[in-house]
Amino acid sequence: TLPDGTAVLLDVKNIKGFFHYSTAVGTTTAEDVDISAMDALLEYLSNRDLHTIARLPAFRDWEYGLNNVPNGLPKKGGNGSLWMDDDYCYWLNPADEQVLSYLVGITMELRRLGFDEVVFTDFRFPNTDEIQFDGDKWQALTNAAATLAGTCASQRFCVSFTSTDPAFPLPEGNCRLY
């Protein structure tokens, strides 16, 4: 058994967009993950005095991009096709309201499942000149982080982000930067 207050980090969704637990928000996969075992683990953890952290990619999501092309980052000169990275993943547009609504839905579901914190990886634009984006990338990320924190964070639930940029625009509220 783990001592009370121990932090437990679980990957709950992969870069392909498949969830590792039973979800109402997206698609689950049995590939490499036993969904029923993960659901049982989540139930067990929710009944313990632990600090549970859900980790998931924010804007890197093959499944959502495939099914929601207008919400992704298009390839320059690609006639509307989405840009794909070296892992064959589509990247979502951080300024898109539907993308933010999708991330809010995931976060609120994780909160209801008993998580204490969510940490978004890939909370950035891809490092390429091959995408079409007609706005201020920094402002788009700032607004996206503020929307997620303002909608989902509370005194008892933390919304966190990973970044290699020390100037990352961490929003006000119960937020953390990794």
Side-chain angles (χ1 to χ4, degrees):
T1 53
L2 297 171
D4 287 352
T6 300
V8 177
L9 174 74
L10 297 173
D11 286 315
V12 296
K13 182 171 136 327
N14 64 27
I15 61 173
K16 294 296 184 184
F18 298 116
F19 289 77
H20 300 170
Y21 65 95
S22 297
T23 179
V25 180
T27 305
T28 59
T29 180
E31 182 181 318
D32 301 332
V33 177
D34 182 342
I35 302 299
S36 60
M38 181 66 140
D39 290 344
L41 177 61
L42 294 179
E43 177 69 27
Y44 171 78
L45 293 174
S46 71
N47 294 316
R48 303 285 316 275
D49 188 19
L50 304 169
H51 182 78
T52 53
I53 307 166
R55 180 171 57 183
L56 65 145
F59 302 121
R60 194 175 186 206
D61 190 318
W62 178 84
E63 176 79 10
Y64 189 88
L66 179 68
N67 294 309
N68 300 278
V69 173
N71 309 119
L73 292 173
K75 183 172 27 174
K76 279 186 181 174
N79 296 324
S81 63
L82 296 183
W83 180 81
M84 187 178 275
D85 67 17
D86 291 340
D87 290 320
Y88 303 103
C89 285
Y90 298 119
W91 283 70
L92 308 180
N93 182 348
D96 188 273
E97 288 183 29
Q98 286 183 307
V99 168
L100 294 178
S101 179
Y102 171 63
L103 294 178
V104 165
I106 295 168
T107 304
M108 296 307 281
E109 179 178 72
L110 293 167
R111 189 172 154 178
R112 284 189 300 276
L113 287 172
F115 281 94
D116 300 299
E117 181 175 354
V118 64
V119 59
F120 288 105
T121 63
D122 296 315
F123 200 88
R124 60 186 175 84
F125 280 85
N127 188 18
T128 182
D129 292 331
E130 298 177 14
I131 60 168
Q132 174 75 35
F133 184 77
D134 297 327
D136 182 320
K137 291 178 182 178
W138 190 253
Q139 191 61 53
L141 292 174
T142 300
N143 293 345
T147 295
L148 289 166
T151 306
C152 304
S154 71
Q155 191 172 14
R156 300 192 60 200
F157 187 81
C158 185
V159 176
S160 301
F161 309 90
T162 62
S163 178
T164 57
D165 186 344
F168 180 86
L170 194 63
E172 300 231 358
N174 191 3
C175 299
R176 187 184 332 240
L177 182 62
Y178 290 99

